[in-house]
Amino acid sequence: MEGGYPSGKRKYIVQYRTKDNRQRREVIGQHGVLTTEKARDIARDILADARKGRDPAAEKRAKREAPTVRDLAQDYLERHALPNKRPASAADDRAMLNRLVLPKLGSTKVATVRRPDIEKLHNKLPKR
């Protein structure tokens, strides 16, 4: 299926129904950047996933809306550090997060952080 923009650009779209009979549309790509054959291949894969009970559009949305390390740090400070720690300790935690963790990992999705990411951050800390 092909759709367009007012500017004249065209895009490839696939339309499918989920297991609970909801209709979904997903943009595959822009015409010209993607060949018709490649768009059809991608559409077949999306439709096959939908027939298996998956919802590719909902999965994309969930990934996009997943919490980042910055969100997790804010939640930690609000729900644990500030109510349960002494003010100086909570301030130390906030300073460490702002100075060391958030500049490197702040925009990273929590689900994608792996042990090597933490080890690299830890190894860069000054030795005491």
Side-chain angles (χ1 to χ4, degrees):
M1 179 183 228
E2 231 179 293
Y5 294 100
S7 65
K9 288 184 179 179
R10 299 183 70 72
K11 59 187 172 183
Y12 294 105
I13 300 172
V14 63
Q15 185 170 322
Y16 63 92
R17 288 195 179 272
T18 62
K19 225 177 182 179
D20 58 351
N21 211 29
R22 290 186 181 178
Q23 188 169 309
R24 298 266 197 248
R25 287 184 181 181
E26 189 169 344
V27 175
I28 297 171
Q30 187 177 330
H31 177 72
V33 174
L34 203 59
T35 65
T36 304
E37 293 78 24
K38 184 66 177 167
R40 283 185 185 132
D41 291 342
I42 294 169
R44 279 187 200 102
D45 293 342
I46 292 170
L47 292 171
D49 287 344
R51 277 193 291 279
K52 291 176 188 172
R54 291 183 49 216
D55 185 354
E59 291 169 11
K60 263 188 184 176
R61 189 178 321 104
K63 256 187 216 178
R64 194 172 46 247
E65 294 171 356
T68 62
V69 172
R70 182 170 279 103
D71 298 332
L72 184 65
Q74 186 64 35
D75 188 53
Y76 161 76
L77 289 170
E78 289 173 2
R79 293 179 53 197
H80 177 71
L82 295 174
N84 298 319
K85 292 181 135 188
R86 291 183 179 159
S89 293
D92 286 346
D93 288 356
R94 181 186 305 276
M96 183 172 40
L97 286 167
N98 288 335
R99 188 174 35 110
L100 303 170
V101 178
L102 297 180
K104 300 290 182 190
L105 298 174
S107 61
T108 307
K109 299 292 184 180
V110 173
T112 64
V113 175
R114 298 288 174 243
R115 185 181 189 105
D117 301 322
I118 303 301
E119 287 173 352
K120 189 187 306 182
L121 189 64
H122 184 76
N123 289 335
K124 288 185 179 179
L125 293 177
K127 304 291 184 225
R128 286 190 178 197

